[in-house]
Amino acid sequence: MSCVFVARATPVEPRARLASSRRGTRSLSRPSAAPKVRASYAMAPTVLAAAPPVPIMVNDLTGKMGRAVAESVVGRDKSQCFLVPVAFSGSAKPAVDVGGVVVEIKSIREDAGAALEDLKKRYPGMIVVDYTLPAAVNHNAELYVKHNTPFVMGTTGGDRTKLLTDVTAAKLAAVIAPQMGKQVVAFQAAMKLMAENFPGAFKGYTLEVTESHQTSKVDTSGTAKAIVQSFNDLGCGFDIKDVTLVRDVPTQLEKMNVPEEFLLGHAYHTYKLKSPDNTVFFEFQHNVCGRSIYAEGTVDAALFLSAKVTGGGETVYDMIDVLKEGGMVTN
Ligand code: NAD
């Protein structure tokens, strides 16, 4: 079995978004360190609503992920969402043009609270997306919490326990997820479900794991770690230290077949399983080039969050929650 996920930007069909009064869901991937958020919720019927387009503010769209998200926002049908023409960065910068939208770049260190209040008045229902730096995660979240602005946190790192505690205590709605690639998250969740339902199904099998990322990434991929955990629960007994990390360009080009234009931004993962008597082989693969899979997932998360806020949602969600309402999103 081999499955390859290749990121691509696809135009989307105009559609009404789904609004739901469901207040949240239990997540498969909620970190165990997270404070207890509502574990179960009364399910109310999902209804179709002709919602106005969602204003999305992207901080910081001069960074790589922020730019990709901003491009995905302007690439969506105008009935779904639009890009707020103001963004926060670490410092004030010249305005940038994203698909014809000229975005003013303000310093988050100078009167950001007042600017946020003003934007909320000008763009009712605004959702903030954050792709900044690990060191900025908690400070930025405190700003969004203080000004009661629902947000999607794609930035990794920072103090995650504090992040979840702050948002939960404020009863603010937010999507927080270190992996916004919906299809990758779905694969990860499916492997986890398999391990939970069929523990030991691959007992005795040997596992080989190879992952390739841009040379600047030093650590083992978090996704690989999560998938390996599921394979171990299935009986493999694999040491995460044995993952083959490919970070050299010649191997990426010649052996992994990474396209040259994606050497600086790719995430390739291959998991090979072999039976004890060498007669049965399985192979799972997910190869992502570029950032559009994360950017599109982020916009879907923002639309999801907007529907939750409209329905009174006030809790922390992740990409499993977004996936569970797949009917409202695209790609
Ligand atoms: P980047 O360095 O290209 O961009 C970061 C930007 O943030 C820079 O433009 C910087 O000026 C700006 N910045 C710094 N401090 C800021 C602050 N206090 N407020 C606002 N802006 C500030 O980095 P990137 O490649 O875009 O990655 C950003 C983050 O997204 C990283 O944490 C990365 O791990 C994460 N990421 C997450 C996913 C996901 O699926 N959730 C996918 C890819 C990357």
Side-chain angles (χ1 to χ4, degrees), residues 9-63:
T10 36
V12 295
E13 293 301 318
R15 61 199 304 173
R17 287 191 304 284
L18 294 180
S20 165
S21 59
R22 183 170 151 248
R23 310 220 24 183
T25 52
R26 193 171 61 84
S27 162
L28 284 172
S29 61
R30 187 104 54 215
S32 53
K36 194 112 181 105
V37 291
R38 282 167 238 212
S40 67
Y41 304 87
M43 296 286 286
T46 300
V47 291
L48 268 175
V54 179
I56 300 180
M57 176 189 198
V58 181
N59 303 330
D60 162 19
L61 53 63
T62 66

Side-chain angles (χ1 to χ4, degrees), residues 163-212:
L163 172 63
L164 290 162
T165 306
D166 287 353
V167 180
T168 308
K171 296 190 173 164
L172 182 66
V175 176
I176 299 175
Q179 167 61 269
M180 293 280 179
K182 287 191 310 177
Q183 295 77 8
V184 176
V185 173
F187 174 62
Q188 212 174 303
M191 293 307 302
K192 191 166 186 234
L193 279 176
M194 181 155 84
E196 283 165 4
N197 283 286
F198 312 122
F202 282 90
K203 194 164 171 31
Y205 276 61
T206 50
L207 177 64
E208 264 181 52
V209 183
T210 306
E211 59 99 320
S212 174

Side-chain angles (χ1 to χ4, degrees), residues 59-68 87-91 93 106-109 130-137 139-140 143-144 152-157 160 176-182 185 214 217 290-291 293-295 298 319:
N59 303 330
D60 162 19
L61 53 63
T62 66
K64 293 182 285 299
M65 266 312 300
R67 176 79 199 191
F88 292 139
S89 183
S91 56
K93 296 176 185 172
K106 286 178 174 283
S107 167
I108 201 163
R109 297 190 175 88
D130 190 292
Y131 274 104
T132 57
L133 297 177
V137 163
H139 179 266
N140 289 9
L143 175 75
Y144 309 144
V152 176
M153 179 61 75
T155 315
T156 53
R160 305 305 276 192
I176 299 175
Q179 167 61 269
M180 293 280 179
K182 287 191 310 177
V185 173
Q214 54 278 4
K217 182 171 173 63
R291 298 181 175 82
I293 188 174
Y294 314 115
T298 303
M319 286 308 279

